[in-house]
Amino acid sequence: MLKGKWMHTYVESGPDDKWEIQYQGQVLDYEGPTSWRYYPLVLVQLYSFINGSPTYQQLIVVDEHTRFYDTNEDMIEAYTVDN
């Protein structure tokens, strides 16, 4: 179950095509694949990288560039390791 999990999405960025965190947030809802859409979606409460406050909610496609964490602390630890 993804609802309630914390997450990062990653994108290729920079001159060396390094993978960097694009979004960070907590999953509010999950919708699995359907007969007309083969990929799952999550509704996420996004949070600021600057001060950690909630910013806005967004639908995000779950793919190989999405990582999920059980706790906010796990997500923060992954951020500090990646940056």
Side-chain angles (χ1 to χ4, degrees):
M1 184 61 140
L2 293 178
K3 197 171 182 180
K5 296 228 182 229
W6 296 84
M7 61 168 286
H8 283 136
T9 60
Y10 288 81
V11 294
E12 270 186 294
S13 180
D16 58 354
D17 293 329
K18 180 183 172 192
W19 287 96
E20 295 184 353
I21 295 172
Q22 178 183 28
Y23 295 119
Q24 66 179 5
Q26 186 175 28
V27 177
L28 301 176
D29 208 356
Y30 169 84
E31 183 177 306
T34 66
S35 58
W36 53 272
R37 178 181 35 79
Y38 63 89
Y39 50 85
L41 295 172
V42 287
L43 175 62
V44 178
Q45 174 63 60
L46 297 176
Y47 290 87
S48 168
F49 285 98
I50 297 170
N51 61 14
S53 64
T55 54
Y56 55 95
Q57 295 177 1
Q58 181 168 324
L59 278 174
I60 294 178
V61 173
V62 176
D63 62 14
E64 68 274 9
H65 307 300
T66 310
R67 291 190 195 157
F68 294 96
Y69 310 97
D70 290 329
T71 66
N72 185 32
E73 291 77 19
D74 291 343
M75 182 183 72
I76 291 169
E77 183 178 329
Y79 176 76
T80 56
V81 168
D82 287 346
N83 289 306

